[in-house]
Amino acid sequence: MASVSTLKFLICLVFCLFTSPASCQGKKNRLNKNGYQFIRKASSFTPSSSISNKRNSEGYDYIIVGGGTAGCPLAATLSEKFRVLVLERGGVPFNNPNVSFMENFHITLADTSATSASQYFVSTDGVLNARARVLGGGSSINAGFYTRASSRFIEKVGWDAKVVNESYPWVEKQIVYRPKIAPWQRAVRDGLLDVGVSPFNGYTFDHVHGTKVGGTIFDHFGRRHTAAELLASADPRNLSVLTYATVHKIVFDTRDKRPKAVGVIFKDEKGKQHEAYLRNNGQSEVIVSCGAIGTPQLLMLSGIGPKEELERLNITVVLDNPYVGKGMTDNPLNTIFVPSKRPVRQSLIETVGITDKGVYIEASSGFGQSNDSIHCHHGILSAEIGQLSTIPPQKRSAEIVQEYVKSKQEIPVEAFRGGFILSKVASPWSKGDLKLINTNVEDNPSVTFNYFNHPYDVQRCVEGIRIAAKVVHSNRFTNYTLCDRDSTATLLNLTVKANVNLVPKHVNDTKSLEQFCKDTVITIWHYHGGCHVGKVVSPDFKVLGVDRLRVVDGSTFTESPGANPQATVMMMGRYMGLKTLRERLGKTDGI
């Protein structure tokens, strides 16, 4: 039984690495299932509230598709002056302990049921991933780390630095906290400084070279505060948020030379179809905030994308744009598992080493599960299934599974008391694409990231693993773990055995760091692209070639901002809300 439990621990812990509690900086804006009347299930939507007549001038000023990391702050801001409808395909995070508590972090990722807050998908590269399916988006299922983008990123995107510096604090005052740094994180911090990732920049949101402690959206009780809580700043008289509302299509008026968005078609949790329309003026907009996977998928399903691909699936072409779904990128992550001879407190990402090698070094440790978690079948993460789908479904006989479990018995008991050092390649040069498999928006599209397709990414990964290995062998770190200085090859071999992806392993994957990088790549959820500026959207994120349609999310990015994107994506929602209000109304009424 010990080996099975250890296996469960290792596999779940690996998933805890994808993408953090103490003195509060913010308001105590706490939404819950009884809190705000503007959050309702989609089935409560009625013809009278939908303004279903296209010619009716009483439609919505803004329909936001996706109540995620960008969609929630955007909706809260726009509702200050305009009538806003938010359509979110998932439920609320407030009454779900698996989402709310840090110690249950892995549970949502392990839940592959239709009602899970995360939707599991596998890229064609063989790397397992997850999409958020809950109000608050990725901020409801991630590791909580909060850190801003670099000034270079802000300048590259072309954002107004003054408005950016207004928008970040708006988020931070409401949901961001200073972590009480865990012992494992302190040891990693000290190890990073020992090996030259300096200077130590202390606790800061800023993206600066060296080692630092960032913010977290987990409070000192270990409770998560998501982008959904930013809706507390909304004007409830102007905002309607529908959960379990799955948008199947954007509706266009194609009678003029330029198509214009007029509304959306969505289904509620009971499968009933509804229509919602914009107010009949030139400034109302449908804003898509479905993320790097959902946004290009919805644009293509609505008729905007590569003509040949759309016609292959009998989708009426509204606008032929070959760039939709192109330039998909994920920041590859590799890890070193490190056992410890002392108890290890659970921690997610709190410390980061921002190196001059183009890699970031982070850490995660421990394992937990609260008594009130929503227990579920762990699906792809269960020990009964084995190392995910490396055992094909048709071959998962009892004998094969037992053989697999037996092969894991050599994993040491110390695995219960250990953690990972993470190496993430920043701004990878390897690019992929997204394509539709079918016309069902609820199914995942085909996504290819082409991890390590470019040799420069492999080179930087090797540099990152070398730095991570030096941290593991540093005096500060070994004094904490109380472990002998195992050779790098020993640690890498242990990591390979605990690694979770569908990439075939090679006999030399612990001898060649290049092969190790390719064989053990996993995600940190920082995927982006598919709707790049200049190709799919304009610099103000309006979809090129059509009117009254905009994209506000990470699908527009050519690189992931900073060491973690969530701060910048939330800021982006607030930023675009402020810019839109000021463009329409001028700097009046304190906007």
Side-chain angles (χ1 to χ4, degrees), residues 104-168:
N104 296 335
F105 169 64
H106 68 288
I107 301 294
T108 291
L109 301 177
D111 183 2
T112 59
S113 70
T115 58
S116 173
S118 66
Q119 181 178 356
Y120 155 73
F121 76 94
V122 186
S123 71
T124 63
D125 316 273
V127 173
L128 295 107
N129 216 311
R131 304 166 56 189
R133 184 169 48 192
V134 61
L135 193 66
S139 68
S140 295
I141 64 171
N142 66 12
F145 192 53
Y146 184 95
T147 179
R148 296 181 180 185
S150 66
S151 57
R152 179 195 60 78
F153 180 90
I154 301 301
E155 183 177 349
K156 178 182 176 182
V157 176
W159 286 336
D160 183 330
K162 182 178 179 181
V163 183
V164 167
N165 291 330
E166 293 176 39
S167 302
Y168 273 126

Side-chain angles (χ1 to χ4, degrees), residues 315-479:
I315 298 171
T316 300
V317 179
V318 174
L319 180 72
D320 178 15
N321 187 327
Y323 299 109
V324 177
K326 300 301 186 292
M328 296 297 298
T329 311
D330 190 16
N331 294 82
L333 180 73
N334 295 84
T335 71
I336 296 180
F337 174 69
V338 187
S340 174
K341 290 184 179 179
R342 68 195 311 164
V344 173
R345 193 177 100 197
Q346 184 186 18
S347 69
L348 300 181
I349 312 300
E350 297 173 356
T351 299
V352 60
I354 300 173
T355 76
D356 58 3
K357 303 292 186 182
V359 291
Y360 305 144
I361 307 298
E362 302 173 358
S364 176
S365 67
F367 180 81
Q369 182 170 335
S370 71
N371 292 331
D372 61 350
S373 70
I374 300 172
H375 294 277
C376 63
H377 172 42
H378 283 199
I380 59 169
L381 298 188
S382 67
E384 292 74 24
I385 288 180
Q387 189 174 338
L388 305 175
S389 301
T390 51
I391 303 176
Q394 65 272 23
K395 295 184 179 180
R396 288 179 195 155
S397 65
E399 293 77 16
I400 292 292
V401 170
Q402 286 304 312
E403 182 180 342
Y404 173 82
V405 172
K406 184 178 179 181
S407 72
K408 293 294 180 180
Q409 289 181 351
E410 61 190 84
I411 296 176
V413 175
E414 284 80 12
F416 284 110
R417 297 188 303 230
F420 289 83
I421 310 298
L422 311 134
S423 174
K424 165 190 162 182
V425 174
S427 303
W429 288 19
S430 304
K431 309 293 181 183
D433 58 24
L434 177 150
K435 297 180 179 179
L436 296 180
I437 296 176
N438 56 37
T439 57
N440 185 354
V441 72
E442 297 184 58
D443 290 343
N444 292 310
S446 171
V447 185
T448 302
F449 293 117
N450 285 326
Y451 297 100
F452 297 124
N453 188 53
H454 197 286
Y456 183 51
D457 295 340
V458 179
Q459 176 188 328
R460 287 185 291 162
C461 175
V462 169
E463 293 284 357
I465 295 300
R466 286 174 176 160
I467 294 171
K470 288 179 181 178
V471 171
V472 173
H473 293 138
S474 66
N475 289 331
R476 298 289 189 99
F477 198 80
T478 54
N479 287 343

Side-chain angles (χ1 to χ4, degrees), residues 60-93:
Y60 294 97
D61 294 295
Y62 296 97
I63 297 174
I64 299 175
V65 184
T69 313
C72 285
L74 176 63
T77 305
L78 292 175
S79 74
E80 293 177 23
K81 298 295 177 181
F82 295 103
R83 189 169 184 231
V84 180
L85 173 66
V86 177
L87 300 171
E88 166 54 46
R89 68 188 185 124
V92 295

